[in-house]
Amino acid sequence: MSVKSVIIGTGSALPKERVSNEQLASRIETSDEWIRGRTGITARYLAGEGETTSTLGTDAARAAIAAAGIDASKIGLIILATATPDQTFPASATKVQAALGINDCVAFDVAAVCSGFLYAITVADAMLKTGAAEYALVIGAETFSRILDWEDRTTCVLFGDGAGAVVLHADPNAGDRGILASKLHADGRHNELLYVDGGPSTGDQVGKLRMKGQEVFRHAVTNLASVLQEVLDMAGVAASDLDWVVPHQANRRILDATARKFGLPPEKVVITVDEHANTSAASVPLALDVAVRDGRIKRGDLVMLEAMGGGFTWGACLLRY
Ligand code: UT7
């Protein structure tokens, strides 16, 4: 029987401080009406002193490991997706590893911005199938508030901080459960539409996020629809077979447009962008954990994860939970 990667636990973590649109509007020239109307966002969580990508990632990982009911020492692989690592190096995955007290395993970061979790879970799935480990921890964690230009109202209102994690088990007796199909893409020609204007090899600044929102929006709707169809075709299932779609939470209007395109009723789409805003690589595992913990996503459900972000990078992953 072939090995499949099965999610056996999910977890998430948010910073302590919740900032509503009204609170933001008291600091910069914006309004709750504009943010809510254009994006569906009503609030976001922002990291405070002592809260970093690795501390949020560690908290999410602890919750996922507890939900999985395994000892942390069983984890043989940690992949952390982030565009906002604690340090340029080492990988934040190794900081999570140390915080969890796992003394020897494979640990590295993946940089695919908002698609990071899709990249990370797809790589983890492939590695588990080669026998690299029996249990993998896959984390999406970000502190985008630290790379936002708080003078640029067109971007700073859109993002938030947080982390989500899953434990994957390489299960030889998974039956019909586990990751069924996934597909990743990148098109490096679109760097100037969504990027950070700094970095270790181009200057001495960490840099700030820059985005041409309208153009990113158009690419997102097209690319997400095409990769979703690709993965449905790979698995030989129809959109109507899906129990849940857990999309990257960038903008409520993108989520609604994608759902409409596939004839999916809105109640099958997990939405957290209203409360979390766009948390980049953290958004898919955060939304997944919310829907697992509130009882919407149940064992045996057919679930599609999807995301699109800077690079551009995009991808989708179909699994039976
Ligand atoms: O996670 C990675 C992927 N990222 C995305 O998917 C983001 C994709 N893009 C979007 O979600 C949307 O394009 C935005 C939410 C960023 C912008 O929505 P939009 O409907 O494309 O608005 P816009 O950029 O066309 O801006 C319209 C107006 C402008 O004013 P004028 O020139 O029409 O007078 C802006 O100056 O809204 C103004 N504006 C604001 N007003 C109040 C821009 N930002 C704000 C703001 N508050 N925060």
Side-chain angles (χ1 to χ4, degrees), residues 31-272:
S31 65
D32 173 52
E33 191 191 4
W34 190 94
I35 303 172
R36 199 189 290 256
R38 300 276 172 156
T39 69
I41 296 166
T42 62
R44 73 286 295 137
Y45 289 79
L46 301 180
E49 212 184 317
E51 289 176 319
T52 67
T53 291
S54 76
T55 67
L56 293 167
T58 301
D59 289 348
R62 282 210 174 97
I65 291 167
I70 61 162
D71 195 87
S73 61
K74 284 194 176 284
I75 304 285
L77 168 65
I78 302 175
I79 308 182
L80 186 148
T82 191
T84 48
D86 286 19
Q87 295 157 276
T88 301
F89 78 82
S92 295
T94 60
K95 295 189 81 168
V96 173
Q97 178 199 15
L100 294 175
I102 304 169
N103 293 333
D104 185 17
C105 73
V106 179
F108 61 94
D109 288 359
V110 157
V113 207
C114 299
S115 317
F117 186 77
L118 271 298
Y119 269 67
I121 198 169
T122 303
V123 172
D125 177 38
M127 288 182 72
L128 289 183
K129 283 178 178 153
T130 68
E134 195 187 346
Y135 294 93
L137 184 57
V138 186
I139 306 165
E142 302 276 18
T143 44
F144 256 50
S145 61
R146 307 245 155 90
I147 55 162
L148 294 176
D149 177 353
W150 288 98
E151 307 282 304
D152 175 11
R153 68 175 186 166
T154 68
T155 54
C156 73
V157 303
L158 305 173
F159 295 90
D161 302 329
V166 302
V167 175
L168 287 179
H169 177 213
D171 188 346
N173 304 305
D176 64 351
R177 285 180 59 206
I179 294 178
L180 305 175
S182 52
K183 183 73 187 160
L184 301 174
H185 291 276
D187 183 348
R189 289 173 298 174
H190 301 295
N191 183 294
E192 80 290 353
L193 297 182
L194 180 50
Y195 66 102
V196 167
D197 61 2
S201 188
T202 53
D204 60 358
Q205 302 285 327
V206 169
K208 299 290 181 204
L209 180 145
R210 308 290 170 206
M211 178 166 75
K212 297 203 173 86
Q214 276 194 351
E215 289 170 69
V216 175
F217 191 106
R218 274 196 294 276
H219 282 278
V221 173
T222 311
N223 291 344
L224 288 171
S226 102
V227 77
L228 275 177
Q229 191 58 57
E230 229 176 331
V231 172
L232 289 172
D233 292 345
M234 282 166 76
V237 301
S240 54
D241 296 329
L242 296 175
D243 294 301
W244 295 102
V245 179
V246 184
H248 171 49
Q249 310 282 322
N251 186 323
R252 177 74 200 242
R253 285 154 55 210
I254 299 178
L255 308 189
D256 291 345
T258 310
R260 263 198 312 276
K261 210 159 190 156
F262 285 87
L264 289 164
E267 57 274 15
K268 283 189 170 187
V269 182
V270 177
I271 292 179
T272 54

Side-chain angles (χ1 to χ4, degrees), residues 302-314:
L302 195 57
V303 182
M304 181 74 88
L305 315 179
E306 46 103 320
M308 140 96 192
F312 290 140
T313 55
W314 65 103

